[in-house]
Amino acid sequence: MDLVQHLRYFVAVAEELHFGRAASRLHMSQPPLSQRIQRLERELGARLFDRSPREVTLTEAGRLLLPQARDVLARADAILDLASRIDSSEAAVLRAGLPPELEGTTVAALLGDFRARRPRTALDLRESATAGQQDDLARRRLDVGLLHLPFDPADLVIGPVVHRPLGVLVAAGGPLDLPDELLLSDLSGHDLVTFARTAAPARFDEILDTCARHGYHPPTVHQADGRSFTVGLVLAGTAVAFDPGTVPQQADVVWRPLAGQPLAERMAVVWPRERHHPEVGAFARTVVRVLGAAAAPPAGPVPHTRPASEFLATPYGAADGS
Amino acid sequence: MAHEDVREVIAAQFADAGVAGRMHAIDLASGREVGVGADAAVLMASVFKVPLVLALYRAADAGLVDPAEQITLTPGTRTAGPTGIGAMADPVTMSLRDLAHLAVSVSDNAAADALADRLGLDAVAAAVAAAGMAATRVVEVCRDVAARTVASLGTADPKQLARLLTDPVALSRLSTLDVAVSNRTTPRDCTVLLAGIWDDALASAGSCAAVRRLLSLQVWPHRLASGFPFDDVRVAGKTGTLPTVRNEIGVVEYPDGGRYAIAVFTRSASTALMLPRADAVIGTVARTAVEHLRRPRR
């Protein structure tokens, strides 16, 4: 029995909970799929699914095995990728997109790390904002991208996500130039300089919503494209800007951390779901090595679904264990 | 505003709300239309309850079921949900047509699945075919979506689920968000369905009137209806919601007799559960489209 292939069948049926749908996803017909699942169950000596005419559900054994099966498949895919890379001359160039805000030292570190570990693959880095990278990935003009969350992940695989907590750039010697951490509410009365909302409306709104939630309502939000314009407005003393604090500042602008890390830059390595470049995994590991040193911010509050969500009842009593 | 312009305005409205949007709107009198991605495959979510209740009334027209037939739904076996019978504690007995009322007015999952169990998905497929919804497939009911979500995310614990349902990485591998294997339609298929219901073409006049009444009793005001805050404009619709997915299809009726079928399907970049802008853009683009269709042609 080809165990990996049988595990693929198992995971497909487990995710669909429907033999017909799983079969169509696997591009096969239903009877052989049912036979293979039965064969796997015999081989493992455990029943994986309860089948009734109306529905298919996972047994306890199936539920326990599912994460392990996914793990085996991920590892098997990595081996297949590796084999195809050894075999393939197309892999000679990897075209990767990076967000424009990424500082020069980080770009250099990414290039250096990748070159050291993958000397045979040329890394072709291109600077492009979220929308442009998504478009290029869809049109196969990019093999892999580094995108700010949130974005629409249709047809993309989201790889590792790196977090960089954001602090604040403030004018040196100004009222906010305190030696300690700042609260977002401390910024009251100061304007905010940020990226243009049209570049990433969802991310812009998340940042402003977080500010409002923590009591910071900027009187004016300046939308600036360039870093020097941003620093100029901060220098003038009326505005502040959010920044990961990874670049040394000029003398009259200082970086201050935010208490509790309410804001973070979250960037995900993404690649096309279908027929992806064999080196995307190597690029993802490089990104994690170079950018992933900072700890992820603490998990946010547990969200509550409201009735208008319609989907997935999480009855009040169930969440309370009553 | 020229035709190309209105499409650009609508595309910009979607982008400004942080969503990928698809829509189709049609003037039921003249057949004039506006579409942005009108033939793209989209996830139906609870919008599938419209062909479902249509299937009930078609079955009633054919004498196959009595809409007054009583069904008893018992806790533990019926489908759970956040509204209606799905959220209740005790056994409930009601008629098929009242189940249809709850399935549409408050998107009751228990009521919808009970109807689907009584009628069979073949009857829903027949209603879909009769409506001319060529790109639409209804292959599962609410309990299947819930079970696939749990299987896909690997947990049934409500607290863990709530967290995973707002986690972009978990959502990127959630099979219930894969349009290829879920209940799917296109915006144009949905306006075709609504047109057939409003023109008494898909069932008897009495049955079509009954379905129109149910759609006019839909309670949520935050999507399609938010674009038409006027006492003399009637909005009848059905929402559909999944993580990052916000939909509504419906008909807007103006006091001068103008009637416009609209179908809007969105997926948000943000994974937050509360996104008022993403809900409201459904009303905004519908209003933009309707105002365009109401402007005299030159």
Side-chain angles (χ1 to χ4, degrees):
Chain A
M1 187 182 74
D2 176 352
L3 179 64
V4 171
Q5 194 55 34
H6 279 71
L7 290 178
R8 248 182 249 290
Y9 299 141
F10 163 58
V11 169
V13 176
E15 287 181 354
E16 299 301 336
L17 292 175
H18 191 285
F19 278 87
R21 271 198 305 267
S24 90
R25 172 166 143 187
L26 294 162
H27 306 293
M28 63 194 293
S29 62
Q30 192 172 330
L33 177 60
S34 296
Q35 289 159 15
R36 306 254 157 92
I37 294 292
Q38 284 163 15
R39 184 160 175 212
L40 179 64
E41 289 180 324
R42 277 200 306 276
E43 193 90 8
L44 297 174
R47 221 172 146 64
L48 300 171
F49 297 102
D50 284 324
R51 304 146 171 96
S52 80
R54 215 173 62 178
E55 59 183 357
V56 176
T57 54
L58 274 171
T59 61
E60 183 63 17
R63 218 176 49 75
L64 288 170
L65 283 173
L66 182 56
Q68 303 288 339
R70 284 198 178 113
D71 197 37
V72 169
L73 292 183
R75 283 156 192 268
D77 287 340
I79 290 172
L80 294 173
D81 281 352
L82 183 67
S84 72
R85 193 177 67 236
I86 292 164
D87 196 29
S88 158
S89 55
E90 286 172 28
V93 177
L94 180 72
R95 300 162 303 171
L98 293 179
E101 302 88 349
L102 215 57
E103 48 292 328
T105 48
T106 305
V107 175
L110 285 172
L111 272 170
D113 184 279
F114 191 86
R115 191 183 298 138
R117 288 161 197 271
R118 285 287 186 276
R120 269 199 264 259
T121 305
L123 182 59
D124 175 6
L125 289 180
R126 299 166 189 197
E127 179 187 15
S128 172
T130 300
Q133 284 200 50
Q134 281 194 284
D135 195 38
D136 286 344
L137 285 163
R139 292 165 189 268
R140 297 308 183 110
R141 292 189 295 231
L142 274 182
D143 301 309
V144 64
L146 182 62
L147 292 181
H148 280 289
L149 287 166
F151 55 85
D152 175 13
D155 302 324
L156 296 173
V157 175
I158 301 189
V161 179
V162 295
H163 296 256
R164 297 201 297 183
L166 290 175
V168 203
L169 294 181
V170 301
L176 293 173
D177 183 12
L178 308 167
D180 299 328
E181 296 179 319
L182 294 171
L183 296 170
L184 278 172
S185 54
D186 291 336
L187 308 180
S188 287
H190 288 76
D191 293 345
L192 177 66
V193 202
T194 176
F195 56 91
R197 184 171 182 277
T198 47
R203 182 167 161 241
F204 181 97
D205 292 345
E206 272 194 3
I207 291 172
L208 269 284
D209 288 349
T210 304
C211 289
R213 197 171 163 184
H214 288 81
Y216 172 38
H217 305 272
T220 305
V221 179
H222 302 283
Q223 299 180 29
D225 280 333
R227 183 171 178 84
S228 52
F229 187 76
T230 301
V231 171
L233 288 179
V234 172
L235 263 180
T238 55
V240 297
F242 297 123
D243 188 275
T246 45
V247 179
Q249 301 303 325
Q250 53 194 96
D252 30 16
V253 172
V254 292
W255 182 85
R256 292 284 172 256
L258 282 167
Q261 301 183 2
L263 289 171
E265 234 176 30
R266 293 176 301 152
M267 286 179 284
V269 184
V270 302
W271 55 85
R273 198 184 292 273
E274 308 291 337
R275 294 178 291 110
H276 60 75
H277 192 291
E279 289 287 49
V280 295
F283 180 75
R285 289 189 289 278
T286 286
V287 168
V288 170
R289 272 191 298 271
V290 172
L291 281 161
V302 177
H304 298 291
T305 56
R306 295 184 188 171
S309 297
E310 294 182 45
F311 57 86
L312 203 71
T314 44
Y316 194 70
D320 293 344
S322 59
Chain B
M1 190 159 37
H3 196 71
E4 280 308 311
D5 293 341
V6 73
R7 298 182 56 204
E8 279 168 22
V9 168
I10 287 170
Q13 288 168 338
F14 280 136
D16 191 46
V19 304
R22 314 268 184 256
M23 61 82 63
H24 187 241
I26 184 164
D27 180 341
L28 293 181
S30 70
R32 286 178 73 194
E33 58 180 341
V34 176
V36 173
D39 298 301
V42 290
L43 290 164
M44 288 185 105
S46 288
V47 165
F48 95 90
K49 291 164 187 170
V50 181
L52 173 66
V53 300
L54 176 64
L56 168 67
Y57 280 95
R58 286 169 56 87
D61 286 347
L64 298 173
V65 297
D66 174 3
E69 177 187 325
Q70 300 282 306
I71 299 255
T72 298
L73 302 184
T74 38
T77 58
R78 67 194 177 201
T79 304
T83 54
I85 300 168
M88 291 178 184
D90 296 312
V92 169
T93 299
M94 66 169 62
S95 67
L96 292 175
R97 61 187 169 203
D98 283 346
L99 290 173
H101 167 216
L102 287 182
V104 171
S105 65
V106 296
S107 207
D108 184 337
N109 291 343
D113 283 7
L115 276 180
D117 290 344
R118 175 69 180 80
L119 298 166
L121 282 181
D122 286 348
V124 182
V128 163
M133 304 169 76
T136 300
R137 299 282 178 276
V138 177
V139 295
E140 60 184 346
V141 296
C142 305
R143 84 168 78 81
D144 303 324
V145 178
R148 286 209 293 137
T149 301
V150 165
S152 205
L153 297 178
T155 177
D157 173 62
K159 277 194 176 160
Q160 276 200 55
L161 273 180
R163 237 193 248 291
L164 289 171
L165 289 174
T166 54
D167 172 32
V169 181
L171 291 187
S172 74
R173 60 178 168 82
L174 182 55
S175 77
T176 45
L177 295 182
D178 181 353
V179 73
V181 297
S182 306
N183 287 347
R184 65 179 186 273
T185 187
T186 65
R188 189 189 303 276
D189 267 9
C190 289
T191 56
V192 163
L193 169 70
L194 294 165
I197 293 169
W198 255 254
D199 293 347
D200 292 341
L202 298 181
S204 68
S207 287
C208 285
V211 176
R212 291 197 292 270
R213 173 177 169 269
L214 296 185
L215 291 168
S216 76
L217 293 174
Q218 198 255 130
V219 298
W220 310 122
H222 57 321
R223 294 195 182 154
L224 187 55
S226 72
F228 304 90
F230 315 114
D231 280 354
D232 58 351
V233 173
R234 184 207 288 260
V235 179
K238 179 71 200 81
T239 54
T241 315
L242 285 168
T244 70
V245 170
R246 291 167 183 79
N247 306 331
E248 187 158 358
I249 70 167
V251 170
V252 176
E253 299 178 297
Y254 274 64
D256 61 7
R259 301 177 310 163
Y260 311 90
I262 301 146
V264 187
F265 294 81
T266 73
R267 288 183 80 156
S268 61
S270 170
T271 57
L273 295 177
M274 295 302 125
L275 280 178
R277 291 177 194 90
D279 291 311
V281 76
I282 293 173
T284 306
V285 303
R287 173 81 170 274
T288 303
V290 166
E291 287 185 346
H292 173 75
L293 294 175
R294 286 176 66 74
R295 203 163 294 129
R297 234 186 308 207
R298 265 180 273 170

